Amino acid sequence: MKVFRKQVRKITIDGVLYLYVVDEQDYNIVLRIYSNQFKSTFAEYFIRWGDRWDIGVYEPKLIARLIDYAESIGWESNTRNNKIKIENASILIREMLKENL
């Protein structure tokens, strides 16, 4: 039986501190990036377990790209109660990985 754990990690991008949690659930991996300022402000990415085999969800470089993406589509990390959810994020992440090659 697998034990699912969540661990809060920190990342600083352009002098701004963010917190992120990788929540390994039964059928999905939920990657939630919080503003350090407000815990009610977050960007949430859903990745299915089957799609995760080639995605390093703990890599800081990927987290930085996902923060940039969320901000580019309107997420404001310095605004209270600002939430954004991305379903089936594995497609988006694979596109990001292709651009990096």
Side-chain angles (χ1 to χ4, degrees):
M1 184 166 107
K2 181 168 175 52
V3 177
F4 299 102
R5 294 197 174 116
K6 295 187 278 187
Q7 181 181 3
V8 177
R9 297 170 186 245
K10 298 177 183 179
I11 187 168
T12 303
I13 300 171
D14 297 329
V16 179
L17 179 64
Y18 297 92
L19 308 173
Y20 67 97
V21 176
V22 178
D23 183 6
E24 299 175 353
Q25 299 177 349
D26 290 337
Y27 297 102
N28 291 319
I29 296 173
V30 179
L31 175 61
R32 189 178 277 187
I33 302 167
Y34 293 93
S35 160
N36 188 46
Q37 226 174 355
F38 305 111
K39 302 302 183 253
S40 62
T41 298
F42 58 84
E44 191 169 51
Y45 296 89
F46 293 91
I47 304 163
R48 290 185 336 184
W49 268 107
D51 294 339
R52 189 232 181 275
W53 64 272
D54 63 338
I55 298 172
V57 292
Y58 290 97
E59 289 187 31
K61 189 174 185 179
L62 175 63
I63 303 301
R65 297 274 310 266
L66 291 174
I67 291 170
D68 288 340
Y69 176 78
E71 289 177 343
S72 74
I73 62 171
W75 182 58
E76 296 174 359
S77 62
N78 57 357
T79 304
R80 185 180 301 274
N81 295 328
N82 193 348
K83 301 172 185 159
I84 191 166
K85 294 184 181 188
I86 310 293
E87 299 286 335
N88 200 5
S90 55
I91 296 169
L92 169 68
I93 293 170
R94 284 206 178 91
E95 288 299 317
M96 289 179 176
L97 293 173
K98 281 183 196 176
E99 292 173 7
N100 198 21
L101 296 177

